[in-house]
Amino acid sequence: MTRRSVFIYGFLAAAWVLVMSWLAAEHFRVQKSAREALINRAKDISSTVGIVLRSQQHFGVISKERMESALQGLVRPGELNAIALLNIGGEVVVSAGAPVALPARGAVRVTERWDEDSVTLINLVDLGTNMDRTITGTNAPGTPSAPIVLSRQELYRPFDTNRPPPEYRGSPPGDTNRPPPPPEYRGPAMGDTNTSANNTNQPPYMGRNRRHGPDSRQRSSRPFWMSEEEYKSAINKQGVHGFVIVMSTHPIRAVSNQDLWLRTIIAFLAGVSVFGIGLAWRNLAKSADLQIRLVRAREQNLHLKEMNLAAAGLAHETRNPLNIVRGLAQMISKQGEASPEIRKQSRAIVDEADRVTAQLNEFINYSRPREVRRTKVQLNQAVGEVARALHHDLAEKNVQLRTGQEQIAIDADEQLLRQALFNLLFNAIQAVEPGGTIQVTAQKVSPTEATLDIRDDGPGVPAELRQEIFKPYFTTNQKGTGLGLAVVQQNVLAHGWEIACLPNEPKGAIFRLSHLHLSV
């Protein structure tokens, strides 16, 4: 994998992680917004409860039955599960809906408690502070800080329980038979100078005395049938100072689930996009690599065409004289009157002529342009035929040749493939020690490609020479021509393959042919 590919894949991975992080952050934001909306809804309900309290109270007293009925009208299962009014000690005074679970006495005071299906909100509004003016209508010292919730029996205790308390409504002007003021009237009668304003023997007036101004509100805040101790006890036990609302979390879950599905779809599409871009880049990189190999092969073929002209002239000018010299040397060695020394020198001339002719032939093979005629070739069969051709060399050095068992067919020019295998195996035989081992293995690396490895346990090739050995006339063997691996590379490049020299641990070398196209 190239550095550019690593950078592209890293960038795509970072972009995908960034998108996932953004989706997660947005999902948490939606959940937070849903919670805030639920809290705001609870605050709206608390405002409604405050309005109900103001509408139900009269002179600081609220009917428990009417308050329960009003609260029951606010309860809606699935939205508002329960609501309860609390006294100053945190005990339930009036409740509606499902039972409300309050924190134990002495526990840490909390205002929100989130459960799996509901959220309990405690004391959203401090009624003892915020409802001073709205309920009692006064700021005077000693004014009760909260309305009192009394049952019907407690409200009508001083009267006949079968009828409500009397209410003085006055009489039309000019009616001389109008009844006297009710006994609850606390102030002195008009024109009565014998009764002081502080006379406490008369019962208090439960209603509002319009003629005495705002000071009458303070005097009328305590019901006339309660003593000061009873009133203070009622304030502590039945005075409304706060309330508890139990809201259902079903709307939050619905919004969260809907947003989660949407984010999941976006994440899936983002993943598919990143994968598609990565796959497209991989194909682009492969195409670019293939184009580079084709350009190299085209340049090599152009160079070989130019070399072919020079090689043809050199072969014509050199091989014919060599054949003449070789023939004359053979004639001299066959003459009867020739001495043994002359015959020996003649045979040496013949051997040298053959060696030079072989070099010329290899040079011609190297310079000849490769025309690949692809056919279906079985790799194991081609390796076996080359091994039979080299049987004498293998037996002479007692070298063991091992081949793979997997049957792999590729598209290749059979003659060029055998020539490349012959040169590679011959070099391996020359490199290993007597009794050494050579292994030929072919394996599939993808549904369309395969590789072929030729391993030996010889001395190996130094790292600095693994690229040089494929150059023409470079050899580490004194008897070699330096064109064997160069011819192999030409045959490989002509097919669009690649060849590389790798180390074979613990010793030896590996010549690997890659990008072999599998035959269908």
Side-chain angles (χ1 to χ4, degrees):
M1 185 180 297
T2 61
R3 182 177 300 178
R4 180 180 296 179
S5 297
V6 172
F7 174 77
I8 293 297
Y9 293 145
F11 175 78
L12 292 176
W16 185 81
V17 171
L18 183 63
V19 170
M20 294 300 104
S21 301
W22 173 75
L23 291 175
E26 285 296 308
H27 180 66
F28 291 141
R29 185 188 63 79
V30 169
Q31 286 184 327
K32 183 179 178 181
S33 299
R35 287 194 174 199
E36 292 177 353
L38 187 64
I39 298 297
N40 293 333
R41 173 59 179 159
K43 291 181 178 179
D44 294 339
I45 294 176
S46 69
S47 300
T48 303
V49 173
I51 295 174
V52 172
L53 286 174
R54 289 193 295 271
S55 64
Q56 295 292 331
Q57 66 89 22
H58 297 283
F59 306 102
V61 178
I62 301 175
S63 171
K64 183 177 181 180
E65 289 76 8
R66 296 182 64 182
M67 195 64 205
E68 286 180 347
S69 177
L71 295 181
Q72 192 65 40
L74 295 176
V75 174
R76 296 177 182 176
E79 180 182 0
L80 176 60
N81 293 341
I83 185 171
L85 303 182
L86 306 179
N87 61 13
I88 195 171
E91 299 174 346
V92 176
V93 178
V94 182
S95 65
V100 179
L102 298 176
R105 289 183 176 272
V108 178
R109 187 178 181 87
V110 294
T111 57
E112 297 181 13
R113 185 178 65 193
W114 292 87
D115 300 324
E116 182 178 359
D117 298 325
S118 64
V119 56
T120 303
L121 306 170
I122 304 174
N123 284 347
L124 288 180
V125 177
D126 187 357
L127 298 179
T129 301
N130 296 333
M131 298 191 68
D132 258 355
R133 302 183 181 181
T134 59
I135 293 180
T136 65
T138 181
N139 295 324
T143 302
S145 61
I148 303 174
V149 178
L150 298 178
S151 63
R152 183 180 297 273
Q153 182 179 1
E154 292 172 328
L155 280 172
Y156 299 151
R157 185 178 64 183
F159 306 102
D160 186 1
T161 57
N162 295 325
R163 60 185 178 89
E167 181 179 0
Y168 176 68
R169 298 183 180 274
S171 59
D175 187 1
T176 59
N177 296 322
R178 62 183 179 182
E184 295 84 356
Y185 180 71
R186 188 169 182 178
M190 295 294 294
D192 188 359
T193 59
N194 296 324
T195 305
S196 64
N198 296 325
N199 186 2
T200 59
N201 295 326
Q202 296 182 3
Y205 176 42
M206 188 175 179
R208 177 180 294 178
N209 188 350
R210 301 178 184 270
R211 295 172 296 177
H212 285 68
D215 292 340
S216 63
R217 297 177 184 175
Q218 180 179 352
R219 292 193 297 270
S220 65
S221 60
R222 174 168 57 88
F224 70 92
W225 64 88
M226 289 186 179
S227 64
E228 189 68 27
E229 290 75 10
E230 290 176 340
Y231 181 61
K232 291 182 178 179
S233 176
I235 284 292
N236 293 331
K237 293 183 179 180
Q238 296 171 281
V240 179
H241 279 261
F243 52 84
V244 177
I245 292 180
V246 181
M247 303 289 294
S248 174
T249 57
H250 175 73
I252 296 179
R253 293 198 305 271
V255 171
S256 178
N257 292 337
Q258 182 180 4
D259 182 75
L260 182 61
W261 274 108
L262 180 61
R263 306 286 176 190
T264 302
I265 294 174
I266 296 176
F268 174 76
L269 294 178
V272 171
S273 300
V274 170
F275 178 78
I277 294 174
L279 186 61
W281 172 257
R282 177 174 173 269
N283 294 335
L284 180 63
K286 281 191 172 183
S287 299
D289 185 54
L290 180 59
Q291 289 179 355
I292 291 174
R293 292 204 302 268
L294 291 176
V295 169
R296 289 168 56 188
R298 186 163 52 248
E299 292 177 352
Q300 188 72 20
N301 288 333
L302 180 60
H303 175 69
L304 291 178
K305 287 180 180 179
E306 296 175 354
M307 292 292 294
N308 185 39
L309 298 176
L314 180 63
H316 179 73
E317 297 295 334
T318 305
R319 191 164 51 182
N320 291 336
L322 280 177
N323 289 332
I324 295 175
V325 172
R326 185 177 184 276
L328 293 176
Q330 286 180 338
M331 291 176 58
I332 294 173
S333 63
K334 292 180 180 180
Q335 290 182 356
E337 63 276 10
S339 62
E341 182 66 21
I342 293 177
R343 291 180 179 179
K344 180 180 178 182
Q345 295 296 331
S346 299
R347 286 194 296 269
I349 293 174
V350 172
D351 293 338
E352 289 297 323
D354 290 339
R355 186 179 66 83
V356 173
T357 302
Q359 290 182 348
L360 287 175
N361 292 333
E362 288 187 2
F363 179 78
I364 292 173
N365 289 333
Y366 175 74
S367 61
R368 179 184 301 129
R370 266 57 176 176
E371 295 181 3
V372 180
R373 296 179 176 85
R374 298 179 185 270
T375 58
K376 184 177 181 180
V377 180
Q378 296 289 340
L379 279 178
N380 287 348
Q381 182 178 354
V383 172
E385 293 178 357
V386 173
R388 284 192 293 271
L390 294 172
H391 176 72
H392 177 73
D393 299 275
L394 293 170
E396 185 178 3
K397 295 187 68 172
N398 192 23
V399 176
Q400 185 178 6
L401 177 63
R402 299 176 182 175
T403 59
Q405 301 299 324
E406 186 177 3
Q407 298 293 331
I408 297 178
I410 64 172
D411 291 331
D413 189 307
E414 187 172 2
Q415 182 179 358
L416 296 180
L417 176 62
R418 289 184 181 180
Q419 185 180 19
L421 292 175
F422 183 91
N423 289 340
L424 290 173
L425 289 176
F426 186 74
N427 285 350
I429 294 172
Q430 290 181 335
V432 300
E433 299 293 334
T437 303
I438 300 175
Q439 184 177 2
V440 181
T441 306
Q443 60 180 356
K444 297 179 181 178
V445 295
S446 72
T448 59
E449 291 185 356
T451 59
L452 178 66
D453 291 348
I454 299 177
R455 306 169 182 263
D456 63 68
D457 56 0
V461 180
E464 63 274 9
L465 299 179
R466 289 172 190 164
Q467 295 294 332
E468 301 293 328
I469 58 177
F470 295 104
K471 293 182 179 180
Y473 303 107
F474 181 89
T475 180
T476 56
N477 188 357
Q478 295 181 355
K479 297 182 179 180
T481 61
L483 291 175
L485 291 179
V487 172
V488 171
Q489 187 182 45
Q490 283 188 346
N491 293 348
V492 168
L493 293 178
H495 284 85
W497 306 337
E498 285 187 357
I499 184 171
C501 180
L502 307 173
N504 184 24
E505 301 297 339
K507 66 175 184 177
I510 302 175
F511 286 87
R512 175 169 296 171
L513 303 182
S514 56
H515 302 294
L516 307 182
H517 191 271
L518 295 176
S519 180
V520 180

